[in-house]
């Protein structure tokens, strides 16, 4: 199998990067049946879609896994917790009609909702990870009125800046995909003192190390 890990920044997957590089340096004695790669795309939908599209246009992969930190609308999800994103929507893709938002699907110009095509449970036997829905945005929410408005419209749990673009690129390339996020903050008025980025990154990389070890054992 050829498996590609995808992240927006190296910071989010620093430990995983070291492990993947270490695997590539080991001599091939016929023991390694899987090839692992790591793609750092840059932040945002445009960077993700371009970098991943270019990668998948010239390389074949059996699985792509998006890893990163994210914000949570759902206060029942603790800071630092991991979630498996099964459905992701480009929240801003559409048009305003006075106080009404018209999704691009309703306008008949395309689609904005994308889904994972692989379940984590199919490849990972470890800690139970909660499944969640997400939106992907260009501007992360930090205003009470806009937060309430987006929740009334889409009622999702997680917010990132890349997830839906990752799902889209993988779908277009025919590559099975899944997305894992670690919650670093709640979606609220910007409050850096309450963020738990270090904890989220630590938990994400600990999970990724366990996942990598299990993937190496797949037939």
């Amino acid at each position: 199998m050829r498996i590609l890990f995808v992240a927006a920044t190296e910071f989010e997957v620093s430990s995983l990067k070291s492990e993947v590089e270490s695997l590539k340096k080991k001599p091939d004695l016929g023991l390694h049946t899987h090839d692992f790669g790591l793609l750092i795309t840059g932040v945002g939908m445009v960077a993700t879609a371009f970098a991943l599209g270019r990668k998948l246009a010239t390389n074949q992969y059996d699985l792509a896994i998006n890893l990163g930190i994210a914000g949570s609308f759902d206060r029942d999800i603790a800071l630092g917790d991991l979630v498996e994103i099964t459905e992701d929507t480009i929240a801003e893709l559409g048009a305003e009609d006075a106080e009404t938002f018209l999704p691009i699907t309703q306008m008949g110009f395309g689609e904005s909702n994308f889904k994972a095509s692989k379940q984590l449970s199919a490849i990972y036997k470890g800690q139970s990870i909660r499944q969640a829905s997400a939106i992907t945005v260009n501007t992360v929410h930090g205003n009470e009125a806009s937060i309430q408005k987006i929740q009334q419209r889409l009622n999702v749990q997680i917010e990132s800046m890349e997830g839906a673009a990752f799902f889209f690129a993988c779908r277009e390339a025919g590559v099975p995909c899944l997305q894992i996020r670690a919650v670093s903050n709640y979606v609220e008025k910007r409050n850096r003192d309450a963020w738990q980025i270090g904890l989220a990154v630590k938990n994400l990389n600990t999970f990724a190390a366990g996942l990598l070890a299990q993937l190496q054992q797949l037939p």
Side-chain angles (χ1 to χ4, degrees):
M1 289 182 67
R2 298 197 71 207
I3 300 167
L4 180 67
F5 292 100
V6 180
T9 67
E10 186 174 315
F11 167 74
E12 292 168 281
V13 290
S14 55
S15 296
L16 175 65
K17 180 176 183 289
S18 298
E19 296 207 29
V20 169
E21 290 177 346
S22 177
L23 280 176
K24 289 186 176 296
K25 291 177 182 178
K26 289 182 179 179
D28 186 358
L29 302 176
L31 301 175
H32 306 303
T33 58
H34 305 305
D35 176 37
F36 298 96
L38 174 63
L39 174 67
I40 304 299
T41 63
V43 174
M45 287 180 274
V46 173
T48 297
F50 176 78
L52 184 54
R54 179 171 59 179
K55 187 75 170 179
L56 298 182
T58 55
N59 296 271
Q60 291 186 337
Y61 289 95
D62 301 292
L63 177 65
I65 302 171
N66 185 208
L67 300 171
I69 60 176
S72 177
F73 294 96
D74 188 345
R75 296 290 178 128
D76 288 336
I77 301 174
L79 296 183
D81 278 3
L82 299 174
V83 290
E84 177 184 5
I85 305 302
T86 57
E87 183 175 4
D88 209 320
T89 300
I90 303 176
E92 302 148 319
L93 194 55
E96 289 182 337
D97 183 5
E99 296 300 315
T100 301
F101 180 82
L102 303 176
I104 195 171
T105 50
Q106 186 175 331
M107 298 170 69
F109 293 144
E111 56 189 313
S112 57
N113 180 265
F114 306 96
K115 297 181 179 181
S117 55
K118 191 79 172 181
Q119 294 291 309
L120 179 63
S121 59
I123 59 170
Y124 180 69
K125 309 302 178 186
Q127 68 184 97
S128 177
I129 295 180
R130 177 176 181 172
Q131 294 185 333
S133 59
I135 56 172
T136 300
V137 297
N138 287 309
T139 303
V140 296
H141 287 83
N143 173 277
E144 292 181 4
S146 66
I147 291 169
Q148 183 178 9
K149 195 170 184 179
I150 196 69
Q151 279 296 79
Q152 288 174 345
R153 179 160 66 87
L154 293 174
N155 189 30
V156 295
Q157 296 159 288
I158 300 296
E159 175 180 82
S160 81
M161 301 181 76
E162 299 87 22
F166 166 80
F167 280 164
F168 170 76
C170 289
R171 190 195 68 178
E172 294 300 291
V175 178
C177 61
L178 61 91
Q179 178 186 170
I180 302 295
R181 295 276 167 179
V183 174
S184 59
N185 61 279
Y186 291 119
V187 181
E188 59 186 356
K189 183 178 178 181
R190 197 169 178 83
N191 180 14
R192 293 180 64 94
D193 291 338
W195 295 357
Q196 293 289 333
I197 292 177
L199 176 63
V201 169
K202 176 180 178 292
N203 290 348
L204 183 67
N205 280 269
T206 298
F207 161 79
L211 177 60
L212 180 63
Q214 289 197 25
L215 288 171
Q216 291 178 66
Q217 304 304 316
L218 288 177

